[in-house]
Amino acid sequence: MTRTTELAAIDKTESSSVISVRNLTISYGSRIIQKNVSFEVKSGSVFAIMGPSGCGKSTLIRSMVGLLQPTSGTILVNGTNYWSQSDRKRVEINRSFGVVFQSGAIWSSMTVGENVALPLQMFTSLNARSIRQLVQLKLGLVGLSDAIDLYPSEISGGMLKRAGLARALALDPKILLFDEVSAGLDPIASARLDDLILALRDGLGATILMVSHELPSLLALADDGIFLSTIERTAIAHGSPQYLKQDCNISEVFNFMHRLAGTTET
Ligand SMILES: Nc1ncnc2c1ncn2[C@@H]1O[C@H](COP(=O)(O)OP(=O)(O)OP(=O)(O)O)[C@@H](O)[C@H]1O
Ligand SMILES: [Mg+2]
């Protein structure tokens, strides 16, 4: 291979990464949560961030959506250095993200439909009728067409999760970030949500970054991932959940993937 074709090959590999995280260190004040974390999220993949409670998974998501500036390291989004952009440019990049936060963050004083309409009202100049149509479309995607005029207190936990998903999909994002989207659901509802996530990836051509403690979901959905250690405060394993379960003998990873006691308070 000549140097030019070699470089072209490298370029191609890099360009298939939607997100590249390099030597990232995230902290709250002087308290380092994770250090020197690096990983690549390939286009169209489902990438899992795994690790015990408190290791810093949600903190990592926060650093990727503009809520917490990393202490050091870089996050590239489609090749653009996310944190070296102006605030305005970062907000623009955020429009390509659909985020479902761990807390859900659905407004209880608004109906399901109004919650989904909110990003459309904030970030587009569409009129009320077009917004209503889009809201109906998004709620249809997650099987919530009938809940458009209900308040969050009037729907079940599983429906709430799907409402959060519909809102995350409002602006047709190409990158979806899910923090514990299936936590607290019964196994059937959780499996249904997994199917929905795969359908979204295939139907929308989205790339998905997911945080989850749910082993069945991790195994069913993710094709790649990292494991963040609380003890080492860095990523101690890379690979698909399947691989980490079958072939990784690092004890913290093994215990998590095999649900051994005393390792994963969720
Ligand atoms: N706003 C904050 N200020 C200071 N410390 C925080 C803040 N948010 C989280 N932490 C701390 O950072 C660490 C990582 O928290 P984080 O919520 O990222 O963990 P997690 O891996 O998402 O856990 P879980 O699986 O329980 O959701 C914890 O020790 C937590 O106490
Ligand atoms: Mg969390």
Side-chain angles (χ1 to χ4, degrees):
M1 208 189 257
T2 65
R3 174 133 181 85
T4 323
T5 45
E6 222 172 82
L7 285 176
I10 292 170
D11 264 0
K12 199 155 181 290
T13 326
E14 303 255 312
S15 66
S16 71
S17 284
V18 171
I19 295 174
S20 302
V21 170
R22 299 188 183 154
N23 294 320
L24 198 75
T25 294
I26 41 180
S27 327
Y28 290 109
S30 59
R31 182 166 167 234
I32 292 175
I33 304 298
Q34 284 287 321
K35 53 184 189 293
N36 293 326
V37 173
S38 298
F39 60 91
E40 305 279 324
V41 183
K42 301 285 176 203
S43 176
S45 68
V46 178
F47 189 94
I49 298 169
M50 295 165 276
S53 189
C55 69
K57 302 178 296 295
S58 298
T59 305
L60 179 57
I61 297 278
R62 297 184 74 215
S63 76
M64 300 176 81
V65 299
L67 295 174
L68 179 77
Q69 181 151 18
T71 310
S72 59
T74 49
I75 298 170
L76 303 179
V77 180
N78 290 315
T80 301
N81 188 332
Y82 182 74
W83 279 102
S84 69
Q85 306 303 306
S86 64
D87 289 352
R88 198 180 56 80
K89 180 75 180 132
R90 223 174 11 256
V91 168
E92 215 171 278
I93 296 174
N94 282 352
R95 285 191 50 174
S96 61
F97 295 156
V99 191
V100 180
F101 290 104
Q102 188 167 12
S103 55
I106 284 284
W107 298 100
S108 57
S109 58
M110 293 179 186
T111 64
V112 167
E114 286 164 352
N115 264 285
V116 179
L118 199 61
L120 294 161
Q121 286 158 349
M122 284 172 72
F123 295 110
T124 72
S125 48
L126 295 170
N127 62 32
R129 193 158 158 269
S130 309
I131 289 183
R132 177 92 182 169
Q133 279 170 349
L134 271 177
V135 167
Q136 271 161 341
L137 185 82
K138 302 297 169 186
L139 287 173
L141 270 180
V142 301
L144 278 187
S145 302
D146 294 342
I148 189 164
D149 293 320
L150 297 179
Y151 282 89
S153 59
E154 298 172 316
I155 62 176
S156 74
M159 290 164 85
L160 260 183
K161 297 275 180 180
R162 283 184 280 143
L165 207 56
R167 192 179 57 184
L169 296 174
L171 297 169
D172 293 326
K174 281 291 176 209
I175 303 171
L176 296 167
L177 299 107
F178 297 149
D179 194 348
E180 297 289 2
V181 83
S182 53
L185 298 183
D186 72 55
I188 308 259
S190 176
R192 258 196 227 125
L193 200 64
D194 291 349
D195 290 344
L196 176 62
I197 290 171
L198 284 182
L200 289 175
R201 183 197 59 182
D202 297 340
L204 307 177
T207 301
I208 298 175
L209 210 119
M210 65 182 282
V211 169
S212 182
H213 277 118
E214 308 289 321
L215 276 184
S217 294
L218 286 168
L219 292 165
L221 296 179
D223 19 57
D224 197 6
I226 47 164
F227 188 97
L228 304 179
S229 161
T230 319
I231 302 161
E232 309 279 339
R233 289 202 213 149
T234 191
I236 52 170
H238 287 75
S240 69
Q242 199 82 43
Y243 166 78
L244 294 188
K245 184 168 186 205
Q246 280 167 5
D247 294 311
C248 184
N249 53 14
I250 300 169
S251 65
E252 205 182 344
V253 180
F254 187 93
N255 291 343
F256 180 93
M257 299 309 291
H258 293 265
R259 283 287 176 263
L260 296 182
T263 53
T264 53
E265 339 99 52
T266 57

